[in-house]
Amino acid sequence: MRTRRAALVGALAAVSMIAVSACGATADKEESGSAGGASKPVTGLRLMVPNTPGSGYDLTARTVSQVMQDTKAASGVQVFNLPGASGTVGLQRLVNDKGNGKMAMQMGLGVVGASHTQKSKATLTDTTPLARLIEEAGAIVVPKDSPYKTIDDLVTAWKKDPKKLAVGGGSSPGGPDHLLPMQLAKAVGIKPTDVNYVSYDGGGELLPALLGNKIAFGASGFGEFLDQVEAGQVRVLAVSSEKPVDALKDAPTLKDSGIDLVFTNWRGIVAPPGITDEQKQAWVDALTKMHDSDEWKKQLEKNGWVDAFQTGDEFGSYLTKQDKAVADLLAELGLA
């Protein structure tokens, strides 16, 4: 039986091949005999995922695409993957597509960090911010046959020999999957420079490494492991949110486990530089219609996502602050 994520990807594969309009991302108006008229769904939109299928970005983008189409906020939304260099290959492609109002990229804290550690020529300050969508708790995960049954078991072994226990994450240094174990290490008295962190390009690569026991534990957004948790393939030792996660009822928070740490990731969508105000507003309107729908609320609950919706200039201001905060932290660690 296919997993929920596989089913979602499969369903979207059918719609993603719908012809993409060559016009900009603008909504047509229905002709009517009276003034005004109802807006048609936005057409011709393409949403890039800058890492591999199966990642958190991939799941988010395909969920956005599906709900936009279900709510008739947009039609024929094409989602495609362009992995490489922890998201900065996609970022460079987006920035190179200056003025393309039908293109956008799924992104988040991971791409912010990668833009600095990869010394990317393209930066997120070059893009056009559209919307911040969600926040998600991180999770500390082990394979089902791991000797570590609790977060205390893991931390005890980790403190004895930090370099021996490899931790994997689906982002490069500076991304959320890297920042979470680094901050966890500091919280339990381990030097971050002693952490043996192994970087994978998204959850699609991290999961096989975890299941194949190539790493001792994983640190990533918990939504990337829900199917495997339900199948009994992996166990979540703790989540990094302030409160327990409904979708993981048996997993304590780090704080409840006596570790003073709260950490959340976020995800959003940006467009290329140089698009028109009309093109930007078409995206924002479509995303707002999606966000306000019952269908989106169901997806938030299903995936354990926290609503963090911001659009336009408000998101732009948030993105600028995040970019500076991550750059400062990475400079502290000697990584940027």
Side-chain angles (χ1 to χ4, degrees):
M1 180 180 294
R2 295 185 300 172
T3 63
R4 288 197 307 268
R5 185 172 303 142
L8 178 59
V9 171
L12 284 164
V15 299
S16 68
M17 297 309 295
I18 295 174
V20 178
S21 168
C23 64
T26 57
D28 297 328
K29 298 291 183 182
E30 297 238 356
E31 293 280 338
S32 68
S34 58
S39 295
K40 289 183 179 180
V42 182
T43 61
L45 302 183
R46 304 183 73 212
L47 186 53
M48 182 203 312
V49 177
N51 53 21
T52 56
S55 66
Y57 287 165
D58 188 67
L59 174 61
T60 306
R62 294 184 186 279
T63 302
V64 167
S65 170
Q66 186 68 69
V67 176
M68 287 177 76
Q69 293 176 112
D70 288 346
T71 58
K72 295 182 171 54
S75 65
V77 181
Q78 183 186 27
V79 178
F80 69 99
N81 298 79
L82 185 64
S86 303
T88 56
V89 169
L91 176 59
Q92 186 67 62
R93 161 73 185 278
L94 188 80
V95 171
N96 289 347
D97 228 358
K98 183 177 180 178
N100 185 354
K102 63 187 177 184
M103 175 72 78
M105 183 179 76
Q106 181 70 63
M107 50 73 71
L109 184 57
V111 179
V112 175
S115 68
H116 294 286
T117 58
Q118 298 287 331
K119 304 190 186 309
S120 172
K121 291 182 180 179
T123 68
L124 284 162
T125 54
D126 295 327
T127 68
T128 302
L130 296 177
R132 182 174 66 147
L133 299 172
I134 61 167
E135 290 180 339
E136 182 184 40
I140 304 301
V141 187
V142 295
K144 64 179 181 180
D145 56 352
S146 169
Y148 312 116
K149 306 302 181 185
T150 67
I151 189 67
D152 287 338
D153 292 342
L154 175 63
V155 167
T156 298
W158 198 22
K159 290 174 73 172
K160 286 181 180 178
D161 195 348
K163 294 183 179 180
K164 182 178 178 181
L165 268 67
V167 50
S171 61
S172 67
D177 293 2
H178 171 252
L179 295 176
L180 173 54
M182 292 300 161
Q183 292 194 28
L184 176 59
K186 288 178 67 176
V188 300
I190 296 172
K191 292 181 180 180
T193 52
D194 288 340
V195 175
N196 181 7
Y197 178 76
V198 183
S199 175
Y200 295 92
D201 197 0
E205 292 186 3
L206 172 62
L207 184 60
L210 184 66
L211 295 177
N213 293 301
K214 293 181 179 179
I215 52 178
F217 64 104
S220 190
F222 77 87
E224 303 196 27
F225 301 108
L226 280 177
D227 291 333
Q228 287 70 35
V229 170
E230 291 181 359
Q233 295 177 307
V234 302
R235 290 183 285 112
V236 177
L237 300 185
V239 292
S240 63
S241 50
E242 181 75 38
K243 299 178 181 179
V245 174
D246 289 340
L248 297 169
K249 295 180 180 178
D250 295 330
T253 66
L254 291 170
K255 286 190 71 174
D256 286 342
S257 303
I259 299 171
D260 188 16
L261 177 63
V262 174
F263 178 91
T264 55
N265 185 19
W266 60 269
R267 296 184 190 133
I269 294 176
V270 295
I275 65 173
T276 67
D277 290 343
E278 183 182 19
Q279 289 169 333
K280 177 181 176 180
Q281 195 60 47
W283 270 104
V284 169
D285 288 347
L287 290 167
T288 300
K289 183 174 181 179
M290 177 213 71
H291 166 263
D292 292 345
S293 69
D294 289 337
E295 289 88 342
W296 181 247
K297 291 178 176 64
K298 290 175 183 176
Q299 291 297 329
L300 292 176
E301 182 177 357
K302 174 184 174 182
N303 292 293
W305 293 335
V306 176
D307 189 10
F309 195 64
Q310 287 180 317
T311 61
D313 292 342
E314 187 180 12
F315 175 45
S317 177
Y318 175 83
L319 186 55
T320 298
K321 292 176 183 176
Q322 285 281 294
D323 188 69
K324 184 180 185 308
V326 170
D328 290 346
L329 177 58
L330 291 174
E332 251 181 68
L333 295 171
L335 294 172

